[in-house]
Amino acid sequence: MIAPLESFDSNQTPGAHESTEPLAVARANTFASQSDEIAFQQKKQQIHQRMVGCLDIAAPHEFKSREALDELRGFIEMFDDEVDLSADEHTRMMVELPWELFGNGPLEPLLADPDVSDILVNRAHEIFVERNGLLEPCDVIFADDAHLLQIIQRIVTQVGRRIDESCPLVDARLADGSRINAIIAPLALDGPKLSIRRFGKRHTSLQHLVDNGTLSQSMAAFLRAAVQARQSILISGGTGSGKTTMLNALSSCIPNDQRIITIEDSAELILQHPHVARLETRPAGSEGVGEYSQRDLVRNSLRMRPDRIIVGEVRGAEALDMLQAMNTGHEGSLTTIHANDTVDAISRLEMMVAMTGLDLPSAVVQSYIRSGISLVVHLARQQGGSRCVMRISELLSAPGGMEFRHAFSYRRSGVDANGLTTGKFEVGDRPECVDVFPEFGVQFDDSAFSRLQTAQSTDATDCTADGTMDNAK
Ligand SMILES: Nc1ncnc2c1ncn2[C@@H]1O[C@H](COP(=O)(O)OP(=O)(O)OP(=O)(O)O)[C@@H](O)[C@H]1O
Ligand SMILES: [Mg+2]
């Protein structure tokens, strides 16, 4: 029998990282059309079924050594003849069949590719991947829906979860930190769906984000100072706009002597900090009990002596507890919110507080938000795949409630020869929070703000970013 794969490490899949040249040639020769590829995948499934029926395959780790793998391939040779393979198909079979037995099947080469950041399986014969910020269709396919479901079940089982008709939706985290979402019938139409967001072990710093044009050097310097001076920050943006990446980068600016508690639905943050306690929510078990929500964890975290609380993404009632924490000694906490612009981010936060069922007057909620959150950083994904910080805004009291003071913004200026839009990061009004930076011993040069106020100058960093400002206002 095939052993359970709880401790399976896809980096250790037999054959997955072997010399790829003969395999690449064989793949190129056999990938003539999608129907050829479907036929190959079906042959592979056929041999797989025969092998599972005949072999007593103990544990994957027994097949990691070259000798053991050669032995396994000996068996493959035996079944080869039954399905009439060409020489190229045979080469592929020798490498790819072990992926079926012990790994993630056709997904293995995608999971081994460090440039792939998202793998989106719409159905057995339709997979898209994101490379360098661009989504593209990919020629990897599964034999059929049953094959895809089998791999989904393996991935889900290996993280201690289950997926079937009675529990057709799973959100989980893989051992390498990647986030997965699987959804099957009856909720998913036209076949099972699998989405993998890969974070790997990559750590993104603010400087990386400056280097790739997400924000300017002076925006990064301001945000670094604001985090050090315990300003609570809300990061907003649409799906995949880079909120979690920005949260990671900002967290790395927290001084090393402070204790951080992270709370996430599926843990993605990779903090390079000496003092981090990571918490993750738990869905209800099969009997419908045992659920621990973000709200439970935020409340519990207050008893864990945190200096800063980081909530991966506020989605519901935990927003109120988070704001309470920010107002009562845990200033400098950070979180993200799904929103189309800065104003929308605050309205959504208000709505989430209302979801607690407490009938608080809007003025009270707004004043809570204003005193809890100091800055909103809004990100948007551009059409060509790059991400930009569209606005860094400060929340201030105003006679009618609250108002925004925009410290930085991104302004599009045109389109370059490659069809990419060009733009500039502009410096806006000096935020009031800069006044408190010295209290925290944080040095910050605010001359860029005053320069704009007198001469309408712009930040020196020009940015090329493709796409529209659809997410930004
Ligand atoms: N500043 C950036 N520049 C280029 N690519 C980025 C940037 N930030 C994130 N990405 C890419 O975009 C993908 C999504 O990033 P991230 O998870 O941070 O977005 P998100 O807004 O948190 O997404 P979600 O809405 O799914 O939570 C990542 O795989 C990453 O590779
Ligand atoms: Mg995110």
Side-chain angles (χ1 to χ4, degrees):
M1 292 299 293
I2 294 184
L5 292 165
E6 279 93 51
S7 58
F8 177 77
D9 172 358
S10 71
N11 286 328
Q12 312 256 325
T13 312
H17 301 278
E18 300 208 331
S19 165
T20 50
E21 200 170 328
L23 177 65
V25 173
R27 278 174 76 85
N29 291 342
T30 53
F31 248 76
S33 71
Q34 196 183 62
S35 52
D36 289 347
E37 182 58 17
I38 294 172
F40 173 74
Q41 293 294 338
Q42 286 168 346
K43 287 178 188 174
K44 194 164 57 168
Q45 281 297 90
Q46 236 177 300
I47 302 184
H48 183 191
Q49 299 305 333
R50 294 278 287 117
M51 289 186 77
V52 170
C54 298
L55 288 178
D56 180 19
I57 298 168
H61 62 262
E62 289 186 13
F63 288 89
K64 277 180 200 155
S65 73
R66 174 152 296 283
E67 297 73 35
L69 197 54
D70 287 344
E71 202 178 313
L72 176 72
R73 286 174 176 157
F75 282 108
I76 298 174
E77 301 263 12
M78 271 169 43
F79 298 113
D80 245 14
D81 301 337
E82 297 181 14
V83 286
D84 184 25
L85 295 177
S86 69
D88 287 320
E89 284 179 328
H90 181 268
T91 305
R92 282 186 65 185
M93 201 64 80
M94 287 294 132
V95 178
E96 294 185 26
L97 201 61
W99 299 349
E100 296 298 328
L101 287 163
F102 309 115
N104 299 300
L107 298 180
E108 279 298 331
L110 300 178
L111 290 167
D113 183 345
D115 291 337
V116 171
S117 55
D118 279 274
I119 303 170
L120 306 167
V121 183
N122 293 343
R123 55 181 74 94
H125 300 159
E126 190 179 293
I127 303 182
F128 283 78
V129 295
E130 182 167 313
R131 281 194 179 88
N132 307 317
L134 277 181
L135 255 191
E136 51 192 48
C138 132
D139 51 13
V140 168
I141 57 169
F142 289 84
D144 49 31
D145 283 351
H147 183 200
L148 169 57
L149 184 61
Q150 178 195 332
I151 296 297
I152 289 179
Q153 274 169 337
R154 181 175 299 170
I155 292 174
V156 166
T157 316
Q158 99 202 13
V159 292
R161 304 283 289 276
R162 80 187 166 93
I163 189 162
D164 54 37
E165 232 176 74
S166 64
C167 175
L169 186 157
V170 168
D171 212 2
R173 180 176 44 85
L174 299 184
D176 72 350
S178 304
R179 189 180 80 186
I180 63 149
N181 177 275
I183 181 161
I184 63 170
L187 300 182
L189 307 179
D190 316 319
K193 323 270 173 248
L194 176 67
S195 315
I196 305 181
R197 161 74 47 82
R198 302 184 60 227
F199 285 93
K201 295 169 180 64
R202 194 161 31 96
H203 173 73
T204 312
S205 66
L206 270 181
Q207 192 52 49
H208 279 121
L209 299 182
V210 171
D211 294 343
N212 78 2
T214 304
L215 75 172
S216 70
Q217 197 67 261
S218 46
M219 289 157 107
F222 171 70
L223 288 176
R224 197 172 289 120
V227 171
Q228 287 167 357
R230 299 197 76 125
Q231 301 302 304
S232 293
I233 300 177
L234 178 68
I235 300 163
S236 69
T239 306
S241 56
K243 302 182 293 295
T244 304
T245 305
M246 176 59 74
L247 183 60
N248 238 326
L250 291 184
S251 310
S252 63
C253 306
I254 296 174
N256 279 354
D257 59 353
Q258 296 182 11
R259 171 165 163 81
I260 305 174
I261 312 261
T262 66
I263 294 165
E264 296 174 90
D265 269 336
S266 55
E268 300 173 321
L269 293 168
I270 313 164
L271 302 194
Q272 293 203 330
H273 197 278
H275 201 158
V276 184
R278 304 171 76 212
L279 306 181
E280 190 177 55
T281 57
R282 206 186 111 150
S286 49
E287 300 83 28
V289 291
E291 178 184 359
Y292 288 92
S293 65
Q294 288 209 119
R295 185 160 204 203
D296 298 323
L297 297 183
V298 172
R299 286 172 168 182
N300 189 75
S301 71
L302 298 175
R303 291 176 215 122
M304 296 171 68
R305 201 215 156 274
D307 287 306
R308 315 256 191 153
I309 299 171
I310 297 180
V311 175
E313 183 176 329
V314 280
R315 293 198 177 94
E318 70 277 1
L320 178 64
D321 302 272
M322 179 82 191
L323 286 170
Q324 275 171 339
M326 286 168 165
N327 275 302
T328 55
H330 306 101
E331 294 82 5
S333 294
L334 308 169
T335 190
T336 76
I337 192 166
H338 193 114
N340 288 335
D341 58 53
T342 315
V343 177
D344 183 36
I346 299 302
S347 321
R348 293 208 60 220
L349 206 53
E350 271 187 64
M351 228 170 57
M352 288 173 191
V353 172
M355 285 160 75
T356 55
L358 287 178
D359 197 12
L360 296 172
S362 169
V364 173
V365 177
Q366 286 209 359
S367 119
Y368 227 67
I369 293 177
R370 197 196 54 245
S371 51
I373 291 170
S374 173
L375 297 167
V376 181
V377 177
H378 183 71
L379 284 145
R381 178 193 177 119
Q382 313 295 315
Q383 259 173 20
S386 60
R387 272 75 169 171
C388 268
V389 173
M390 308 306 298
R391 283 241 154 98
I392 300 179
S393 316
E394 185 177 38
L395 277 185
L396 295 172
S397 306
M402 66 171 104
E403 66 177 19
F404 296 101
R405 174 174 294 182
H406 302 302
F408 295 92
S409 47
Y410 177 71
R411 184 196 290 259
R412 283 176 78 197
S413 57
V415 179
D416 72 9
N418 301 317
L420 303 175
T421 52
T422 54
K424 271 193 170 85
F425 292 110
E426 298 190 337
V427 187
D429 297 328
R430 180 183 182 278
E432 283 182 7
C433 65
V434 170
D435 292 340
V436 304
F437 288 4
E439 287 175 28
F440 293 88
V442 176
Q443 306 292 324
F444 176 71
D445 175 8
D446 62 358
S447 55
F449 295 114
S450 48
R451 221 176 35 238
L452 179 84
Q453 281 162 1
T454 54
Q456 291 292 306
S457 65
T458 55
D459 192 323
T461 308
D462 281 8
C463 167
T464 300
D466 178 28
T468 62
M469 298 271 285
D470 57 337
N471 279 354
K473 283 190 185 158

